[in-house]
C-alpha cells in the first residue's frame, strides 16, 4: 500500500477548536486540515503539524489555541483479519466496542462508553473497570517522522504502562490504525473490578455475557457523568482529570485508610478521587464556570462560558490541596496543549 500520496480534503483557517473537544474549551487553530484516509493523514502530518486531533476527549487546549496547523483525523473503517480486528485511527471508539460485543469478540467490553477515537486508545493506554487496551493491542500502524515512513509497531514496542505509552507526549509517531487480538466468546474474561462484578451479580474473577457487561459499564459510567450526553452537563469534561497515584508501600502506609490496589511491581495504586475528597474537595465543588462534577470527583466540568485558564486554576487548587494534606502529587491524565502543568 502506498502511503505517500494524497491530499487532505479540507483546509480551514482560524477554526475554533473548542467545539471539537469534549470539554468545549480551546482557542482557534491557525490552520485546520481534515484527513479522511490514511494517505491523506500521512500527507498532512508529514509537515509536522502542531497538533493531531481526533475525538478531542482527552485533551486540554489553551485559550490561545494553536497558532500553527492542526490535523483533524477523520479516517474510518474496520476489517477482520483472522483473530485481528484492524481499525482506522479516526473510528469512534465506542462504535468499535459495540461491534465487538455484537460479534462476540471478547476483550474490549469493559471499555464501553469511553469517548474519543480508536487511534487515541494506545496513546493513552485507555483503561476502565479492570481492563486496559494494551491487553488486546497486537500492533499499531504509525507514521514515523524520524524515518519518514509508515511502520508497524508491535505491542512490546509501544511501551505500555499505566495510562501511558511511547506515543504520549511525543510527536515522533502518528497513529494510523490499531489491530486488536480478540477471542471469540459470548462471555467476558475474568472480571477484575469489584464494583462491576457486584452489579453483574458475579464474584470478582467471574464472567458474564458480553452484552450484560457492556450494559452494566454504560450504566456505571452514565451514573458518573462519564458518557457523553447533551442532556447531562456533567459530561462536559475530559473524563478523569487526574491519574491514580502509584506509590511505594511506605508512601501508601502514610495515608490513613487509603484504598490500595497492588501493582505487579510491588507498588500500590491508590485512588485519586479518595485523596481529592479527603482533602476537602467534594462533588459539585466550585461556584464558577468550572467545577467538580456533581457525579464524580475526578471529573472537572465546563459549566458554560468557561476558559481553559479557569479549568487549570481549579485543577492546580485541587492538586495543591492534596499535596498539602497527604504529600502526594497528582498528575493530569489529559494531554495539555499550549500550556503546562
Amino acid at each position: 500500500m502506498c502511503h505517500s500520496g494524497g491530499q487532505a480534503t479540507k483546509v480551514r483557517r482560524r477554526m475554533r477548536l473548542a467545539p471539537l473537544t469534549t470539554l468545549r474549551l480551546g482557542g482557534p487553530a491557525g490552520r485546520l486540515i481534515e484527513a479522511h484516509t490514511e494517505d491523506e493523514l500521512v500527507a498532512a502530518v508529514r509537515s509536522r503539524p502542531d497538533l493531531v486531533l481526533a475525538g478531542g476527549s482527552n485533551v486540554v487546549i489553551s485559550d490561545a489555541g494553536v497558532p500553527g496547523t492542526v490535523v483533524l483525523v477523520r479516517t474510518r473503517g474496520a476489517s477482520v483479519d483472522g483473530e485481528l480486528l484492524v481499525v482506522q485511527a479516526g473510528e469512534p471508539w465506542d462504535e468499535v466496542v459495540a461491534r465487538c460485543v455484537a460479534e462476540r469478540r471478547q476483550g474490549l467490553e469493559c471499555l464501553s462508553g469511553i469517548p474519543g477515537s480508536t487511534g487515541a486508545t494506545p496513546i493513552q493506554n485507555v483503561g476502565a473497570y479492570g481492563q486496559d487496551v494494551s491487553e488486546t493491542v497486537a500492533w499499531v500502524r504509525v507514521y514515523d517522522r524520524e524515518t519518514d515512513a509508515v511502520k508497524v509497531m508491535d505491542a512490546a514496542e509501544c511501551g505500555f504502562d499505566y495510562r501511558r505509552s511511547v506515543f504520549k507526549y511525543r510527536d515522533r509517531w502518528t497513529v494510523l490504525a490499531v489491530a486488536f487480538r480478540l477471542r471469540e466468546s459470548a462471555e467476558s474474561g475474568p472480571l477484575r473490578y469489584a464494583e462491576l462484578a457486584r452489579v453483574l451479580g458475579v464474584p470478582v474473577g467471574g464472567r458474564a455475557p458480553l452484552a450484560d457487561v457492556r450494559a452494566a459499564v454504560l450504566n456505571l459510567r452514565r451514573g458518573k457523568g462519564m458518557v457523553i450526553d447533551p442532556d447531562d452537563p456533567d459530561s462536559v469534561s475530559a473524563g478523569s482529570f487526574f491519574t491514580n497515584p502509584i506509590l511505594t508501600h511506605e508512601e501508601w502506609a502514610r495515608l490513613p485508610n487509603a484504598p490500595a490496589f497492588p501493582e505487579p511491581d510491588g507498588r500500590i495504586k491508590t485512588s485519586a478521587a479518595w485523596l481529592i475528597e479527603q482533602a476537602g474537595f467534594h462533588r459539585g465543588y466550585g461556584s464558577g464556570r468550572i467545577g467538580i462534577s456533581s457525579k464524580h470527583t475526578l471529573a472537572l466540568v465546563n459549566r458554560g462560558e468557561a476558559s481553559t485558564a479557569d479549568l487549570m486554576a481549579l485543577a492546580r487548587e485541587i492538586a495543591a490541596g492534596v499535596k498539602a494534606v497527604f504529600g502526594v502529587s497528582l498528575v493530569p491524565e489529559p494531554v495539555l496543549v499550549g500550556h503546562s502543568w
Side-chain angles (χ1 to χ4, degrees), residues 65-115:
V66 179
T69 300
V70 175
V71 174
L72 190 60
V73 182
R74 289 293 182 257
T75 55
R76 298 293 296 266
S79 60
V80 176
D81 181 9
E83 288 186 333
L84 301 183
L85 180 67
V86 181
V87 187
Q88 291 292 304
E91 191 72 18
W93 173 247
D94 196 51
E95 293 181 17
V96 174
V97 178
R99 170 182 173 165
C100 291
V101 169
E103 295 179 353
R104 298 185 173 187
R105 298 179 189 278
Q106 178 201 99
L108 303 179
E109 56 279 357
C110 294
L111 305 179
S112 294
I114 294 175

Side-chain angles (χ1 to χ4, degrees), residues 246-258:
I246 297 178
L247 310 173
T248 65
H249 193 278
E250 292 73 22
E251 290 170 334
W252 173 81
R254 291 196 288 268
L255 305 177
N257 304 311

Side-chain angles (χ1 to χ4, degrees), residues 22-23 225-238 295 301:
T22 55
L23 264 168
M226 295 291 189
V227 174
I228 300 299
D229 181 349
D231 295 324
D232 182 3
D234 277 319
S235 71
V236 187
S237 76
K295 297 185 177 75
V301 298

Side-chain angles (χ1 to χ4, degrees), residues 17 25-28 60-67 307-309 312 336-339:
L17 295 174
L25 293 177
V60 181
I61 299 172
S62 73
D63 296 314
V66 179
S307 67
T308 303
M312 295 306 295
L336 308 181
V337 177
H339 55 111

